[in-house]
Amino acid sequence: MQSHLQFNLKYSFLFILSIFFGCQPMAQQRILTHNEVNHHPKLILTQKGVAEIKSKLGSIPLFDTSLEEAKAEIDAEIRLGIEVPIPKDLSGGYTHERHKRNFLMMQKAGVLFQILEDDTYAKYVRDMLMAYAKLYPTLPIHPQERSYARGKLFWQALNDSNWLVYTSQAYDCIYDWLSKEERDVLENDLFRPFADYISIGNPQFFNRVHNHSTWGNVAVGMIAVVMDDAELLDRALHGIKDDNLPKGMRDDDGGMIKKEGQKVGFYGNLDEPFSPDGYYTEGPYYQRYAMYPFLIFAQALQNVKPELKIFEYKDGVLLKAVNALLNLTDVNGDFFPINDAQKGMSYYSRELVTCVDIAYYYGGQNPELLDIAQKQNRVSLDDTGLSVAVAIKEGKAKPFVKKSIELRDGQMGDEGAIGILRSDDLELVFKYAAQGLSHGHYDKLSFSLYNAGQEVLQDYGLARYVNIEQKGGGNYLKENTTWAKQTIAHNTLVQNETSHFNGNYETGSQHHSEKYLFDVEDKNLQVVSAIEENAYPGTKIQRTMALIKDADFENPFVLDIVKVNSATSNNYDLPFYYLGQLLQTNFKYETPKTLTQLGDSNGYQHLYKEGFGISDGNNTSFNWMLDNTFYTLTSVTSKGDELVLARIGANDPAFNLRREPAFIIRKKDKKDAIFVSLLETHGSYSPVSELALNAYGQIKNIRVILNDEAYTAIEITSKNNKKWLFAMANNNSSDDGQHQLYINDTTVKWEGPFVFKPIN
């Protein structure tokens, strides 16, 4: 049974005072300016905005529905009563989830008070805040010792910052309703000590570039705006001036905390992680998480300090970031799991509802964003949400069309990129980016493939069950380091069973892959190519991926070319993490009676060796079915190449890893090597009619007909003996380059870096 707090005499007296002296929200409607610091709400809601919302209630369906849903939720919560338990749990535990729910409920209740003018909601917020004001001064650091920056309400200061970001909004909504005595208690006993603790008390958390510090900066900034505290606001925007942190300090994951000359604070976190295209270097999962504080604080700054022109900062990067995020989703709206990422997170999350509304309101009212808002089927209960709901009612929405796109990485956009090729239902995601801070994986030149939103060749994502207490308290599991971050866990090249950069974060952070080309002008021939020369010193890897649509094939197909050149002989592994049921191969393999692990370290210790074959020198064909669709991977192999059927799950007694399969092509004792594969999507199976249509691929043979320093040429032959040539210049990616090859007694000429054409 949890211990719940009761008001002491001091707080009971203030509660009585509020009944007599508490005032209603100001009836006079005025346009908020940045000098009107004594009038609330001013943070996210504004007095002018509240007046407009009230004038339209009952006439804007999407806004009205969103309001009704929030009211029903908060009314139910009020009936349950206020619970403010003594903190003790990790993520997923009772106290963690209760405090998390409390800040979400307070924020919504504050909004309801402003819109509906019902004191019930103000009293609910006030009473809960008073309970926290009584509790907070008594709290030691959270008893769970897992974090590099422990909070008080939560096990990490990050979650304490979540609490303050949302609670600041609730406080702003009832600020004028409270008596001065109540505000003094809340600010002196709760908000200022809270802001000091997560900043001055935890400089290693607050003064860095990371999604954690973004939340910390914004938390301090939000409460600073509400309380009109200039010192706190400066701390939020620019960081702590003298943090006394040692240079080179790292967090629990090895992530850098302090770098020489690094800019910190809100502006520092705007400058470094975002590229000019709006891509956030940690990847879309954490970009989604960080975008809420970035945008909600930007909205507050726009309301109270419009002279900062925050939405214009860095060429409007915050608004670009929303567009980037939406393009980093599959057809179902799920984010591609790049770096640490939980699969299934999508633009239906509460963060993205806020992001879409803010981006529409402040970003030129792009009608395509209304399409996303319609799918989300709810809006923020503020000025931005109202504008979206009104525009949808007026029929202004236009389809949000996701096209092939390259999103550059790095502060200056010069640290590689994420390339996404789209054709019909296929989406190919190719990663040739920077490390991605401490949430990054060692997976240069990795890719994943989706068909109609279904993962076909997967990126594993993270090893964590977020907020599920039974699995490590809902936090990162050790397998995130021993498996999910390792190179072998991805669809990319592994040399000598070691991870890129030897799995060393500091080394990986110094390098990024280099774009060679990204060309999607021809929708039937889209090509992306990138080079990695630092993952394995002395080895150059170039991967070229083409998404080709041809009338002779049922669906677009993927051509994958991995070209390796090294100063020394090595063993090379190229895995394909397919999802679905293996149906057939054209090579013989043996299955052991007893499963053994594939290797001893660098992720290999987590792979079972389920089958093993040897190539006879011909193409290998690997055919499987997923979600009633057939797939065939045809690969060029040399005689003696090893063909491994593997499965994730070895050395995992707690069953923390998903038991999913892989097909690995292994070339041994080679300096230079080339891996060429073609993936077809074809046919269908109906469990109702029990008919399999077009269950086999159309490829008869793939042949490397030229591979030298200057050119690579591939011949593709279908089962009806039709042939095609794909050729690429390896040293000249210019669009106007002139090329000529003599192949099969024929001269082939083309302009630009590559060509795909029939040759018979």
Side-chain angles (χ1 to χ4, degrees):
M1 196 74 180
Q2 299 294 331
S3 299
H4 301 297
L5 301 174
Q6 305 294 328
F7 293 124
N8 62 15
L9 183 60
K10 170 184 175 183
Y11 296 95
S12 298
F13 175 69
L14 288 171
F15 176 81
I16 294 170
L17 280 177
S18 69
I19 296 175
F20 293 98
F21 298 104
C23 58
Q24 295 296 321
M26 295 180 65
Q28 182 181 6
Q29 304 306 320
R30 308 170 62 216
I31 298 176
L32 184 71
T33 70
H34 65 285
N35 293 318
E36 292 176 304
V37 294
N38 295 320
H39 299 283
H40 299 260
K42 62 180 181 178
L43 198 62
I44 305 305
L45 280 172
T46 64
Q47 292 182 352
K48 180 181 178 183
V50 169
E52 187 174 3
I53 288 170
K54 290 177 181 178
S55 72
K56 288 183 169 60
L57 286 181
S59 64
I60 310 298
L62 184 54
F63 192 93
D64 292 336
T65 300
S66 300
L67 181 64
E68 290 168 6
E69 290 174 353
K71 184 178 185 304
E73 183 180 22
I74 300 305
D75 287 349
E77 198 70 25
I78 290 174
R79 288 193 293 270
L80 291 174
I82 293 172
E83 298 181 72
V84 183
I86 302 296
K88 72 179 186 66
D89 296 324
L90 287 167
S91 304
Y94 167 75
T95 64
H96 181 100
E97 294 305 311
R98 184 65 260 173
H99 289 300
K100 179 179 177 181
R101 186 158 181 80
N102 282 350
F103 69 67
L104 293 170
M105 296 303 100
M106 280 194 285
Q107 187 269 338
K108 290 182 181 180
V111 171
L112 290 176
F113 167 64
Q114 281 293 327
I115 295 174
L116 301 179
E117 297 185 90
D118 185 338
D119 283 8
T120 302
Y121 302 110
K123 292 174 182 176
Y124 174 73
V125 174
R126 178 203 55 199
D127 292 354
M128 190 178 293
L129 287 178
M130 286 299 184
Y132 275 109
K134 179 182 178 183
L135 171 66
Y136 194 77
T138 72
L139 289 179
I141 297 174
H142 197 282
Q144 297 290 345
E145 299 179 357
R146 188 160 180 168
S147 176
Y148 76 101
R150 289 152 66 189
K152 289 191 173 184
L153 292 179
F154 299 91
W155 68 279
Q156 56 178 346
L158 170 62
N159 300 114
D160 279 36
S161 300
N162 298 160
W163 187 94
L164 189 54
V165 169
Y166 282 88
T167 303
S168 298
Q169 298 172 57
Y171 182 47
D172 181 52
C173 285
I174 68 165
Y175 188 95
D176 286 343
W177 181 87
L178 293 169
S179 67
K180 183 181 184 303
E181 291 84 356
E182 288 171 319
R183 292 196 297 267
D184 287 345
V185 168
L186 292 176
E187 293 182 9
N188 294 329
D189 293 358
L190 178 60
F191 291 130
R192 281 196 171 84
F194 203 114
D196 284 342
Y197 178 74
I198 62 175
S199 55
I200 295 172
N202 281 277
Q204 76 280 15
F205 161 78
F206 190 81
N207 251 31
R208 64 183 300 202
V209 173
H210 196 277
N211 75 79
H212 286 195
S213 50
T214 298
W215 277 95
N217 302 153
V218 169
V220 171
M222 294 281 274
I223 198 62
V225 170
V226 180
M227 300 189 304
D228 190 26
D229 189 316
E231 189 277 327
L232 281 182
L233 182 58
D234 182 73
R235 189 189 305 172
L237 293 174
H238 304 291
I240 302 167
K241 299 299 184 290
D242 298 307
D243 56 26
N244 296 315
L245 296 174
K247 294 180 179 65
M249 185 179 183
R250 299 181 181 278
D251 65 15
D252 301 334
D253 298 321
M256 184 68 70
I257 289 177
K258 185 160 185 175
K259 291 195 303 185
E260 183 76 34
Q262 185 174 48
K263 188 176 180 181
V264 294
F266 183 72
Y267 280 120
N269 277 281
L270 263 179
D271 283 344
E272 187 173 327
F274 285 105
S275 80
D277 294 335
Y279 177 73
Y280 187 74
T281 193
E282 293 186 44
Y285 180 77
Y286 278 99
Q287 181 166 351
R288 172 272 324 170
Y289 182 62
M291 283 307 294
Y292 179 82
F294 272 123
L295 284 171
I296 208 73
F297 190 40
Q299 184 179 357
L301 291 174
Q302 186 67 26
N303 283 334
V304 299
K305 287 189 170 293
E307 68 274 14
L308 294 179
K309 298 182 179 179
I310 196 66
F311 284 110
E312 298 175 30
Y313 189 79
K314 198 177 175 182
D315 196 26
V317 71
L318 284 176
L319 300 173
K320 290 181 180 179
V322 177
N323 182 68
L325 256 184
L326 295 175
N327 276 288
L328 286 163
T329 62
D330 63 25
V331 297
N332 298 319
D334 291 350
F335 294 113
F336 299 127
I338 298 166
N339 294 327
D340 283 343
Q342 175 163 262
K343 294 183 180 182
M345 179 55 73
S346 74
Y347 61 48
Y348 294 99
S349 66
R350 64 176 180 269
E351 297 95 341
L352 262 292
V353 172
T354 299
C355 290
V356 168
D357 293 353
I358 290 175
Y360 178 79
Y361 188 77
Y362 292 105
Q365 301 191 340
N366 178 3
E368 292 187 12
L369 292 176
L370 301 176
D371 181 38
I372 303 298
Q374 283 180 315
K375 293 173 181 175
Q376 292 170 330
N377 200 33
R378 65 188 191 277
V379 293
S380 304
L381 298 177
D382 61 18
D383 310 35
T384 68
L386 180 66
S387 70
V388 167
V390 169
I392 288 173
K393 181 187 177 184
E394 293 173 351
K396 294 181 179 179
K398 294 183 179 179
F400 188 97
V401 180
K402 296 175 190 172
K403 302 176 182 178
S404 296
I405 189 172
E406 182 182 48
L407 295 167
R408 294 172 294 165
D409 196 3
Q411 183 175 355
M412 305 304 294
D414 57 358
E415 298 181 27
I418 301 294
I420 304 171
L421 305 182
R422 291 182 165 103
S423 182
D424 292 352
D425 289 334
L426 290 185
E427 295 173 301
L428 187 152
V429 183
F430 186 37
K431 181 186 178 189
Y432 45 105
Q435 178 63 29
L437 302 181
S438 60
H439 285 295
H441 288 193
Y442 303 102
D443 63 332
K444 300 303 182 190
L445 309 187
S446 68
F447 85 104
S448 54
L449 184 71
Y450 296 76
N451 183 18
Q454 171 71 59
E455 281 186 293
V456 178
L457 293 171
Q458 70 153 333
D459 186 311
Y460 188 86
L462 52 69
R464 178 186 182 186
Y465 297 81
V466 181
N467 290 333
I468 297 178
E469 188 177 21
Q470 300 94 311
K471 286 293 189 182
N475 302 308
Y476 279 97
L477 302 166
K478 63 182 178 62
E479 288 81 8
N480 199 62
T481 298
T482 61
W483 166 252
K485 284 177 178 277
Q486 301 295 328
T487 305
I488 189 57
H490 303 82
N491 300 310
T492 193
L493 190 84
V494 185
Q495 179 175 296
N496 299 328
E497 297 189 15
T498 60
S499 284
H500 297 169
F501 312 109
N502 246 340
N504 181 271
Y505 172 77
E506 184 172 358
T507 305
S509 296
Q510 296 172 7
H511 303 290
H512 57 84
S513 302
E514 295 286 353
K515 167 189 171 179
Y516 181 67
L517 65 87
F518 181 85
D519 190 328
V520 296
E521 289 300 313
D522 183 349
K523 302 308 177 188
N524 295 323
L525 178 58
Q526 303 181 65
V527 182
V528 57
S529 183
I531 297 169
E532 176 55 53
E533 296 188 84
N534 297 295
Y536 299 112
T539 298
K540 176 182 177 181
I541 309 167
Q542 180 169 2
R543 189 170 208 166
T544 300
M545 308 203 75
L547 189 54
I548 301 172
K549 186 174 182 178
D550 188 277
D552 284 273
F553 290 82
E554 180 184 357
N555 297 301
F557 63 86
V558 176
L559 180 63
D560 177 27
I561 304 170
V562 181
K563 182 180 169 69
V564 191
N565 299 101
S566 182
T568 59
S569 293
N570 303 288
N571 296 336
Y572 301 115
D573 289 344
L574 184 64
F576 295 90
Y577 284 91
Y578 69 96
L579 294 177
Q581 177 62 47
L582 172 60
L583 299 177
Q584 186 182 68
T585 72
N586 71 342
F587 58 88
K588 295 180 180 179
Y589 57 85
E590 296 179 354
T591 55
K593 293 182 179 179
T594 302
L595 294 177
T596 57
Q597 64 195 51
L598 192 58
D600 297 322
S601 59
N602 303 314
Y604 280 81
Q605 75 275 21
H606 289 302
L607 285 172
Y608 282 121
K609 187 176 178 180
E610 289 191 331
F612 181 80
I614 301 289
S615 171
D616 61 5
N618 294 312
N619 285 181
T620 63
S621 177
F622 192 89
N623 177 243
W624 76 97
M625 183 173 71
L626 172 65
D627 196 25
N628 297 322
T629 299
F630 298 101
Y631 300 89
T632 300
L633 182 74
T634 304
S635 303
V636 175
T637 52
S638 303
K639 189 172 183 178
D641 286 354
E642 296 180 1
L643 308 170
V644 181
L645 303 179
R647 189 169 298 273
I648 304 165
N651 286 301
D652 180 29
F655 288 83
N656 287 333
L657 298 174
R658 304 188 303 270
R659 268 50 177 169
E660 292 165 340
F663 171 51
I664 303 173
I665 301 174
R666 172 173 287 178
K667 295 179 181 290
K668 301 181 74 171
D669 196 24
K670 303 284 186 183
K671 279 189 175 182
D672 302 333
I674 185 169
F675 294 80
V676 180
S677 297
L678 188 151
L679 178 63
E680 298 174 79
T681 301
H682 54 91
S684 63
Y685 177 74
S686 170
V688 176
S689 67
E690 298 183 332
L691 289 177
L693 302 176
N694 195 21
Y696 297 92
Q698 298 183 55
I699 297 301
K700 179 180 180 180
N701 189 63
I702 310 174
R703 185 165 66 99
V704 179
I705 54 179
L706 177 64
N707 182 40
D708 59 23
E709 183 179 351
Y711 295 98
T712 298
I714 310 298
E715 180 188 81
I716 302 167
T717 305
S718 67
K719 289 179 179 177
N720 63 7
N721 290 318
K722 186 169 183 180
K723 294 185 177 182
W724 296 264
L725 172 72
F726 180 87
M728 190 173 84
N730 295 323
N731 298 320
N732 184 356
S733 62
S734 67
D735 292 336
D736 55 3
Q738 301 295 318
H739 304 280
Q740 178 175 311
L741 293 176
Y742 189 68
I743 298 174
N744 293 342
D745 301 324
T746 303
T747 299
V748 180
K749 298 180 180 180
W750 75 93
E751 183 178 64
F754 56 84
V755 64
F756 177 75
K757 61 186 295 185
I759 54 176
N760 64 348

